């Protein structure tokens, strides 16, 4: 028997039968359909896609390199579509969630700006919805990661949570009473661009002294390279490791040497950890959450980073000693958090698809019965008695 899936994917375009209408996640998760969905995490270097069940388990995962940012947005969209269709061949996918490394508007339909991709006011949701047979949800990747940690990871049970993602820069997200707080224009949570040192290091955003210039992967690598380039005695170990090629110093290498006991690398983590704690104390003064979850690639340093951050947080927290302190926890879901969160958020719009799918299946089956009746020869009439 022909199915809706067969019908929807006929033709070279494999075009859609449904347009997405965003649904706010305040809708109870208890009533969201328990169906598999696909999460997409788009970064500057990779596109990761996975089928995720309602309990946050990854059923299958695919990964490919991000197309070069100089190419058109269509190239990245092609990559996403191919990954989704590949996964759909083996799984009954009901919705797709996109976690994009960039600013997403309040309607979660456009990527306003992506620093590592050629997206400028790009209508990503509609562009993908027109090519896929399921609804599409688009959000910032820090928001999707925070949602995953709140649902399945280090933030479970918290009603006021702030997520801080430490990578090349600093991203962030705010969850309150089970809802992501996106702000009026959809771009809340860009904590990395709070100014902490007036006239400080120049940031790619154009300003000086942004927080991410003092507590991020870029800050860690910059400080190590400056010491190595100056031929500092404390940097001899790392200089020897890269055979004098300063540009081969990377964050993972610094982490490895710090775990081996290299004094300079440990000190660098203490420095960025202290700046991290200062920023967290500022956020606590403004937002007063119950929990801070620290994620991103730099968080892999564990207590080399989190320990100094906790100490600096306690020293700089306004009202310290006379107020409750927020818990600071390392994220639990690792690099898959953004993908898992995007998939889970997309479940909240899957109900519309399931209803539309049921109606379309019924209409298509009626059409097939009608067409069959037209094609079939008329049945012989009984002879008159």
């Amino acid at each position: 028997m022909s199915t809706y899936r067969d019908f929807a994917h006929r033709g070279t375009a494999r075009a859609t039968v449904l347009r997405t209408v965003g649904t706010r996640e305040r809708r109870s998760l208890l009533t969201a359909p328990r169906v598999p969905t696909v999460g997409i995490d788009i970064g500057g270097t990779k596109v990761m896609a996975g089928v995720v069940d309602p309990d946050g388990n990854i059923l299958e995962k695919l990964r490919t390199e991000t197309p070069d940012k100089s190419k058109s947005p269509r190239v990245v969209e092609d990559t996403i579509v191919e990954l989704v269709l590949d996964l759909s061949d083996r799984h009954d996918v009901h919705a797709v969630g996109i976690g994009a490394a960039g600013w997403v508007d309040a309607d979660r339909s456009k990527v306003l700006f992506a620093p590592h991709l050629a997206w400028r006011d790009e209508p990503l949701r509609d562009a993908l919805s027109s090519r896929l047979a399921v609804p599409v949800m688009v959000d910032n990747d820090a928001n999707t990661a925070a949602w995953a940690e709140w649902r399945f990871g280090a933030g479970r049970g918290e009603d006021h949570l702030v997520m801080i993602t430490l990578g090349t820069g600093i991203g962030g997200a705010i969850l309150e009473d089970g809802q992501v707080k996106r702000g009026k224009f959809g771009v809340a949570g860009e904590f990395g661009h709070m100014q902490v040192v007036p006239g400080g290091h120049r940031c790619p955003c154009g300003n000086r002294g942004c927080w991410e210039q003092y507590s991020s992967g870029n800050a860690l690598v910059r400080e190590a390279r400056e010491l190595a380039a100056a031929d500092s005695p404390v940097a001899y170990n790392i200089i020897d490791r890269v055979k004098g090629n300063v540009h081969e110093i990377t964050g993972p290498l610094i982490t490895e040497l710090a775990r081996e006991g290299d004094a300079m690398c440990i000190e660098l983590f203490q420095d960025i950890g202290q700046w991290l704690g200062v920023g967290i104390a500022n956020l606590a003064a403004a937002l007063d959450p119950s929990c801070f979850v620290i994620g991103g690639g730099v968080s892999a340093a564990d207590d080399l980073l989190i320990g100094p951050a906790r100490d600096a947080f306690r020293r700089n927290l306004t009202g310290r000693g006379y107020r409750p302190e927020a818990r600071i926890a390392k994220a639990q879901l690792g690099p898959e958090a953004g993908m898992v969160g995007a998939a889970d958020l997309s479940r909240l719009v899957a109900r519309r698809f399931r209803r539309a799918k049921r109606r379309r299946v019924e209409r298509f089956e009626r059409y097939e019965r009608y067409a069959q009746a037209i094609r079939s020869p008329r049945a012989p009439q009984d002879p008159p008695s």
Side-chain angles (χ1 to χ4, degrees):
M1 183 184 72
S2 297
T3 65
Y4 168 80
R5 184 186 174 101
D6 298 330
F7 173 69
H9 288 99
R10 286 179 181 174
T12 57
R14 302 177 80 175
T16 186
V17 295
L18 182 66
R19 294 290 295 266
T20 302
V21 177
T23 304
R24 301 184 70 176
E25 64 271 9
R26 68 172 51 178
R27 175 183 291 170
S28 172
L29 289 167
L30 297 177
T31 62
R34 293 184 59 81
V35 293
T37 53
V38 168
I40 307 285
D41 185 18
I42 309 170
T45 59
K46 59 93 175 68
V47 179
M48 185 163 53
V51 180
V52 181
D53 73 10
D55 298 313
N57 301 308
I58 300 172
L59 306 180
E60 185 180 354
K61 181 175 68 175
L62 301 175
R63 178 182 173 128
T64 186
E65 291 185 0
T66 304
D68 186 81
K69 64 182 180 181
S70 65
K71 297 179 181 177
S72 71
R74 177 79 177 194
V75 177
V76 182
E77 293 165 11
D78 290 343
T79 301
I80 296 170
V81 169
E82 288 304 316
L83 290 172
V84 172
L85 295 181
D86 189 359
L87 292 169
S88 298
D89 287 338
R90 295 177 296 281
H91 302 274
D92 185 20
V93 174
H94 287 249
V96 174
I98 309 290
W103 290 1
V104 178
D105 71 351
D107 293 332
R108 285 176 282 172
S109 61
K110 293 182 180 181
V111 180
L112 302 175
F113 172 78
H116 304 294
L117 295 168
W119 282 338
R120 303 293 184 269
D121 205 28
E122 179 67 23
L124 183 61
R125 186 185 69 189
D126 291 345
L128 292 175
S129 295
S130 66
R131 302 175 65 184
L132 298 171
V134 292
V136 176
M137 181 225 66
V138 180
D139 209 337
N140 172 265
D141 57 349
N143 288 342
T144 62
W147 180 267
E149 291 292 341
W150 175 70
R151 287 271 286 137
F152 310 112
R156 279 176 295 184
E158 301 288 351
D159 54 1
H160 290 75
L161 177 147
V162 169
M163 176 104 181
I164 299 169
T165 57
L166 300 177
T168 302
I170 295 179
I174 307 163
L175 271 82
E176 184 176 326
D177 296 328
Q179 185 180 1
V180 178
K181 310 299 285 187
R182 297 181 175 83
K184 173 65 175 179
F185 305 108
V187 296
E190 293 294 335
F191 306 137
H193 299 289
M194 299 186 302
Q195 190 179 68
V196 296
V197 180
H201 291 293
R202 177 73 73 180
C203 180
C205 77
N207 294 329
R208 288 186 178 273
C210 291
W211 185 27
E212 68 177 39
Q213 291 304 305
Y214 299 89
S215 184
S216 66
N218 269 354
L220 181 70
V221 172
R222 182 192 65 230
E223 296 296 315
R225 288 179 177 178
E226 286 182 0
L227 286 168
D231 203 26
S232 170
V234 301
Y236 283 170
N237 190 21
I238 199 168
I239 292 172
D240 182 64
R241 183 65 68 94
V242 298
K243 297 180 172 57
N245 190 344
V246 173
H247 293 290
E248 291 186 5
I249 295 176
T250 63
L253 175 60
I254 299 169
T255 304
E256 178 185 343
L257 290 175
R259 286 175 173 158
E260 293 174 1
D262 182 89
M264 183 200 78
C265 294
I266 291 173
E267 184 177 331
L268 291 178
F269 271 110
Q270 289 174 341
D271 288 345
I272 69 167
Q274 288 172 4
W275 276 113
L276 176 60
V278 169
I280 292 175
N282 289 339
L283 291 172
L287 302 174
D288 191 29
S290 59
C291 177
F292 289 94
V293 176
I294 312 300
V298 181
S299 68
D302 299 319
D303 280 343
L304 290 168
L305 175 72
I306 304 296
R310 289 194 178 109
D311 292 340
F313 170 68
R314 295 188 183 102
R315 289 196 306 271
N316 292 278
L317 180 64
T318 182
R320 52 193 173 275
Y322 297 95
R323 60 172 289 175
E325 292 185 5
R327 180 169 66 95
I328 300 176
K330 181 191 171 185
Q332 295 179 357
L333 301 183
E336 287 85 15
M339 180 185 73
V340 171
D344 196 60
L345 279 167
S346 73
R347 289 179 55 241
L348 299 173
V349 300
R351 177 188 288 102
R352 180 180 296 274
F353 169 66
R354 297 185 77 199
R355 290 172 178 169
K357 175 179 176 178
R358 185 166 58 249
R359 290 194 296 268
R360 291 175 186 278
V361 168
E362 291 171 354
R363 286 200 298 268
F364 185 65
E365 288 178 346
R366 287 199 300 270
Y367 169 79
E368 281 204 326
R369 288 195 297 269
Y370 173 76
Q372 182 64 32
I374 295 297
R375 291 192 297 266
S376 298
R378 181 175 297 178
Q381 296 183 352
D382 293 332
S385 54

